[in-house]
Amino acid sequence: MTDLTSLTLAEAKTGLANKSFTSLELTEAHLAAMEQARALNAYVLETPDQARTMAKDADARLAKGEAGNLEGVPLGIKDLFATKGVRLTACSKILDDFKPPYESTVTSQLWRDGAVMLGKLNNDEFAMGSSNETSAFGPVVNPWRREGSDARLVPGGSSGGSASAVAAGLCFGATGTDTGGSIRQPAAFTGIVGLKPTYGRCSRWGIVAFASSLDQAGPFARTVRDTAILMRSMAGHDPKDTTSVDLPVPDYEGALGRSVKGMKIGIPKEYRIGGMSAEIEKLWAQGAEWLKAAGAELVEISLPHTKYALPAYYVVAPAEASSNLARYDGVRYGARVDGRNIVEMYENTRAAGFGPEVRRRIMIGTYVLSAGYYDAYYLRAQKVRTLIKQDFEEVFAQGVNAILTPATPSAAFGIGEKGKADPIEMYLNDIFTVTVNMAGLPGIAVPAGKDAQGLPLGLQLIGRPFDEETLFSLGDVIEQSAGRFKPKRWW
Ligand code: GLN
C-alpha cells in the first residue's frame, strides 16, 4: 500500500470518497509519522485521542454521504490558534498551561468541514521571528538539508512548525499566521505552498494577536490545489472580528487551470535589491518566463516606497505588539511570579515569561508610542504605510493583475547562523514579504526551484485585494512548470 502520508490533500479526499481508506487509517498513519519525526520538533503538542475521535466521527459522516470540504483530513494547527480545552502557548512561557475555553473562528470552520486535528505546531514566540528559533519549545528543524551536509537548517518563521510538518508529511496541511511574512517565508524555505490572504478575508478571532492591523491567518499545503481547498474552509465573514469582510467565499479550487492569457504581471524594479544572489535572479527570471509561456504579459513596474517598508514595519508591528501583549500580566492568563506588590508581580511575571525577542519588541513598541516620540516614529511610519499602499493601488489601476517577486532573499540557513549579533540580519529575511502586509494584500509563495546546494527556493505572487483566485491560477502555472519538491527523509 502507498504511504498514506505522502498523498496530497486532494488525493486523500478522493481516496476517502472512494473508500480506499478511512480517515482513521489516514490519522493513524500521520500519528505514526509524527512519532518518528520528533527530531524535527514541529509539534509542541500532539492530540492523538482527539484526532482518533474526530477521525471516527468523520468516517461515520463519510459513510452516511455527509462529507464536508475537509471531511476526514488530518491537519496541524499553529499554536497561536485557540482550540477549545487544548493547551495554547503561542510558544511562550508566559501562557504556561492556559487552556482556552473557546475555539478560534478559523479552526471552528475547519472542524465544521470535517477536518481532524493532529496537534499544535511550533512557532516563534508570539510569532516574532523568521527562523522559529525564538520558541520557548526550542527551534524547529527543516526537513531539508544541504547536499552532502547534515547541518540542521531552520524552516523559516514564524510558522516554522507548520511548514516543517507539511513538508515532512506530518499532516496534509496546516494553519499559519502572517504578519510580515510568517507563512510565505517558511513555505519557501521548505519547498511548499503558503498563502497570506487579503487582510479581512480570514477571521482573526481566537488567534493570539501580534500586530492586529497586519496579522492574517492562512493555509500551508504541499500543492497549490491543496492550499486552495484549505482556503475555502478558512475564509469567510465573522461578526466577531470587526475587520473581517463580508464577501462570498469563492470555490478557490475552481481557479486552478483557468487561463492566464493576457494577464498583466508586474515585475517591480525596486525588488532587484543590491547584492541579490544570482540564483534568486535566475529563479525570478525563470518564473517570469513560465508565466509568459502561459500567455501572460510581463511588465516592469515601480513601487517606489519599497525601501521604507521594512523600517516602517519594525515601528508599526512592535507598537501594536506592545499594546497587545500588555494583557499578559500574571492576572488573566497563565504564569504568575509573585512580588511584594502588584507592580512587582507584573514585572516579575513579564520578565520571567517573555523571551528576549519579545522583550525587545515590547521595548521598541513602547518607545515609539511614547509621548515625545509618537509623531517622529509611529505617526511617520503610518504615513509611509499609506504611501506603500498607494504604490500598489497605482500599479493595479494601470491594469496589472498580479506582481511576481522572489519570496525570500536566500534559501534556508543554519540554526544559530543568523541574527545573533545583529537582529536586523534576521529582519532582512522579510524584505520581499512585509510590503504585502503593510498594504493588506494577498500573497502566495510557490516553490519554483533549488539553489546550488539543493535547497528549495520560492517565488511570490502578490494580488489585488480579495483576488486570491488569480494567485491560485498563476501559482498553478508555476507549480506545473517547476514541478514539486520533496525532502529526502533522514529523520
Ligand atoms: N519575521 C517577521 C517578524 O518577526 C514577521 C513575523 C510574522 O509574520 N509573524 O516580525
Side-chain angles (χ1 to χ4, degrees), residues 78 80 124 126-131 157-159 177-186 210-211 214-216 310 313-314 317-318 357 361 426-427 429-430 433-434 437:
K78 185 178 185 179
L80 221 61
D124 277 299
F126 284 103
M128 297 174 190
S130 303
S131 61
S158 66
S159 316
T177 60
D178 190 315
T179 305
S182 278
I183 292 177
R184 292 158 288 158
Q185 185 254 16
F210 164 10
L214 301 160
D215 297 344
Q216 187 56 204
L310 201 67
Y313 170 86
Y314 275 99
E357 184 60 29
R361 306 280 179 117
M426 189 64 80
Y427 298 171
N429 263 286
D430 300 316
T433 51
V434 284
N437 301 72

Side-chain angles (χ1 to χ4, degrees), residues 210-241:
F210 164 10
S212 307
S213 77
L214 301 160
D215 297 344
Q216 187 56 204
F220 282 96
R222 291 192 285 271
T223 67
V224 174
R225 180 175 302 278
D226 291 359
T227 310
I229 295 171
L230 283 169
M231 186 55 191
R232 188 174 184 183
S233 293
M234 290 176 72
H237 177 237
D238 178 11
K240 288 191 287 205
D241 172 359

Side-chain angles (χ1 to χ4, degrees), residues 307-362:
K307 63 174 178 292
Y308 305 115
L310 201 67
Y313 170 86
Y314 275 99
V315 172
V316 173
E320 294 186 24
S322 71
S323 162
N324 273 324
L325 271 56
R327 73 190 71 175
Y328 306 104
D329 56 7
V331 177
R332 297 172 179 84
Y333 312 86
R336 171 183 299 181
V337 181
D338 285 328
R340 279 167 306 177
N341 51 47
I342 188 157
V343 173
E344 212 181 84
M345 186 278 283
Y346 289 160
E347 288 170 354
N348 291 347
T349 301
R350 289 168 67 82
F354 290 136
E357 184 60 29
V358 174
R359 290 204 294 267
R360 179 175 12 243
R361 306 280 179 117
I362 292 173

